[in-house]
Amino acid sequence: MSEIERESMPYDVVIVGAGPAGLSAAIRIKQLDPDLDVVVLEKGSEVGAHILSGAVLDPCGLDALIPDWKEKGAPLNVPVKKDNFLVLGEAGSMRIPNFPMPPLLNNHGNYIVSMGNVCRWMAEQAEELGVEVFPGMACSQVVYGDNGEVKGVVAGEFGLNPDGTQGPSYEPGMELHGKYVLFSEGVRGSLSKELIAKYDLAKDSEPQKYGLGMKEIWEIDPAKHSEGTVTHTMGWPLGGNAGGGSFLYHAENNQIFIGFVVHLNYKNPHLFPYMEFQRFKQHPEIKALLEGGKRVAYGARAITEGGWQSLPKLVFPGGALLGCSAGMVNVPRIKGNHNAMLSGKAAAEAAVAAIKAGRASDELSEYENDVRTGPIATDLKKVRNVKPMWSKYGLVASLALGGIDMWAASLMNINPFGTWKHGKSDAEATEKADKHKPIDYPKPDGKISFDRLTNLSFSATNHAEEQPCHLKLLDPSIPIDVNLPLYAEPAQRYCPAGVYEVLRDDDGSNPRFQINAQNCVHCKTCDIKDPSQNIKWVTPQGGEGPNYPNM
């Protein structure tokens, strides 16, 4: 597509992604220098469309960015009042008392929020400062300068035919150029992945690790609702099959955010993460809470879990990686939004200082230093061994060892076990199907548990069928010739939206691989977990994908 001529627009700073990291960067730039030109490009149909409601937010990032956020009406309306930590068995549960838990796991002072609404509010703050925010503008390409530096991005390309040729309504999009380009695409963003590979940013870090987070929003019986209560569970139904657990947050208006995370380093290719989530809801205590209520939304998203030792180099000529594009989630806290905000703020400060000094298109080393030595480092270093301990020794041992490690880090600022390695990537962790038994999952009842396609309708996902498929097979033969005989083609199961199917004739012969790209909720799990690393997720046209509700 290099022969296409596009108009270009110059900015001081171009920001890809209107999540908490990108919007924080935009706001901070304008706070420091109102005269700088800043644009934020968002692939969702509106800001927040790709952010399913439901998180516990540590307000430290917002405190640093907008200290008077309460007076400005930020939608942080539900302070956490109660923390529950449960280990589930099939028929009951055991509560872990709060007092032995490391203090960093205490949610006192945090808020149950809709991050979609928080981002919508942040976009309003940014626009009031003069930031240009353009939703529905997917960034499909990085624009490089003559010396290999990042010069900008291509945004707003529409009207391609399924084969990639230009259709009758083709629009080439525009090149948006910046002195610096900040990438805040979220987990496994396609452009961020390209940049990490091009500049070899991950050469000195451990492989990034991921989890698949699936979430439903329910309206429940007011008599069962306990606004401000936060519950996390571990154990059943995953047991020894995979790491992970659940979260359940009582928000306002009798709503609960209920979610389930499966660590993607599981070995058994027969594991079906979505069905583990649906089975979890049939636990007697969870089912009793949901009975009489109704599910109002569903979605899924990959989560970065590698933590401190998996952070790549964050800067390259002309730009930087922010938030989950780099992987700044604190896994035991199940929180990353505060670090995303802090990273956006730090990148903005580095970019403004550089521009004022007459610099452009170089490396923002000040940003890298801030992340490596500042509050983000303090947050991530304390918990750096929890994930690899869990992966190596399982739930029970990791609770003990991880607890000791986090207590020592909290009290003495040391990790007595050093820094553990992650080892294999999540794709490499997948073992051959003949080493494991298939798992029999109960059929969804349609009241508490649901099949994937029924649930998918509650994500308002939409993709135009006439555009190119955004799920690329590097080798179209691999799903049937390699993944099916060796791994029972796990794409049929690890995808939480039913995108991938193996179809056969009536007699069971002639297997063929089908991609239902219109179902995709942009979780990126296929790009991560495919054992052959044969699936490449790229951004579709702007506005495509889920349209999560404004709850």
Side-chain angles (χ1 to χ4, degrees), residues 117-455:
N117 285 344
V118 170
C119 287
R120 292 180 181 100
W121 175 84
M122 292 179 70
E124 292 173 0
Q125 308 308 303
E127 288 178 321
E128 287 179 5
L129 293 170
V131 175
E132 296 181 35
V133 180
F134 295 142
M137 292 286 281
C139 297
S140 54
Q141 297 178 45
V142 179
V143 178
Y144 297 100
D146 294 337
N147 297 313
E149 77 280 10
V150 171
K151 182 179 178 181
V153 292
V154 173
E157 185 176 27
F158 293 95
L160 291 172
N161 292 319
D163 62 0
T165 59
Q166 298 174 17
S169 59
Y170 177 70
E171 298 177 22
M174 297 189 66
E175 291 189 5
L176 294 100
H177 297 169
K179 296 172 182 174
Y180 295 99
V181 184
L182 307 180
F183 292 83
S184 54
E185 297 178 287
V187 177
R188 197 79 166 190
S190 55
L191 301 186
S192 301
K193 182 181 173 183
E194 174 186 325
L195 293 165
I196 290 170
K198 177 178 176 63
Y199 296 108
D200 203 11
L201 302 180
K203 66 178 180 179
D204 296 322
S205 59
E206 283 290 295
Q208 186 59 264
K209 308 294 287 183
Y210 299 90
L212 170 59
M214 298 154 286
K215 188 185 302 180
E216 295 172 357
I217 303 174
W218 281 68
E219 293 177 359
I220 64 169
D221 182 346
K224 302 177 183 178
H225 190 252
S226 177
E227 186 175 293
T229 295
V230 168
T231 300
H232 292 104
T233 78
M234 298 171 286
W236 189 88
L238 290 174
N241 286 326
S246 81
F247 56 88
L248 199 157
Y249 307 147
H250 287 252
E252 52 194 331
N253 301 321
N254 297 316
Q255 288 188 341
I256 60 169
F257 307 136
I258 182 169
F260 198 78
V261 178
V262 177
H263 299 171
L264 288 177
N265 63 346
Y266 61 82
K267 298 176 181 179
N268 184 353
H270 298 293
L271 188 81
F272 198 155
Y274 175 85
M275 291 306 299
E276 295 287 352
F277 176 29
Q278 299 307 305
R279 183 161 63 165
F280 155 75
K281 292 187 295 173
Q282 296 289 351
H283 188 276
E285 295 181 31
I286 307 303
K287 184 177 181 179
L289 180 67
L290 300 178
E291 285 179 325
K294 64 176 182 179
R295 160 215 47 186
V296 297
Y298 165 74
R301 184 59 56 88
I303 304 166
T304 52
E305 295 187 337
W308 178 250
Q309 52 270 62
S310 295
L311 277 184
K313 183 180 178 182
L314 304 173
V315 298
F316 42 86
L321 302 176
L322 313 185
C324 283
S325 288
M328 298 182 183
V329 171
N330 183 312
V331 173
R333 297 184 74 197
I334 319 182
K335 293 179 180 65
N337 290 307
H338 63 298
N339 285 337
M341 292 178 182
L342 291 170
S343 74
K345 177 176 177 291
E349 291 168 353
V352 171
I355 292 170
K356 286 185 176 180
R359 294 163 47 196
S361 300
D362 58 357
E363 292 191 0
L364 295 171
S365 57
E366 301 87 351
Y367 166 60
E368 181 94 31
N369 182 65
D370 187 296
V371 171
R372 299 287 176 182
T373 61
I376 295 173
T378 300
D379 187 61
L380 294 181
K381 283 183 176 181
K382 290 179 181 179
V383 301
R384 59 189 170 190
N385 291 325
V386 172
K387 168 67 175 172
M389 285 176 173
W390 195 337
S391 299
K392 186 169 184 178
Y393 291 122
L395 174 61
V396 176
S398 69
L399 282 175
L401 292 175
I404 293 170
D405 204 50
M406 286 187 287
W407 266 111
S410 298
L411 295 176
M412 298 176 286
N413 200 31
I414 61 168
N415 290 88
F417 299 104
T419 300
W420 287 33
K421 295 183 177 181
H422 291 302
K424 298 178 181 178
S425 71
D426 292 333
E428 293 169 332
T430 312
E431 295 182 344
K432 304 291 176 58
D434 59 11
K435 295 183 65 175
H436 299 273
K437 294 181 179 180
I439 302 172
D440 184 25
Y441 290 99
K443 184 178 179 180
D445 61 17
K447 297 177 181 179
I448 302 297
S449 54
F450 311 98
D451 65 83
R452 276 186 297 187
L453 295 185
T454 299
N455 232 359

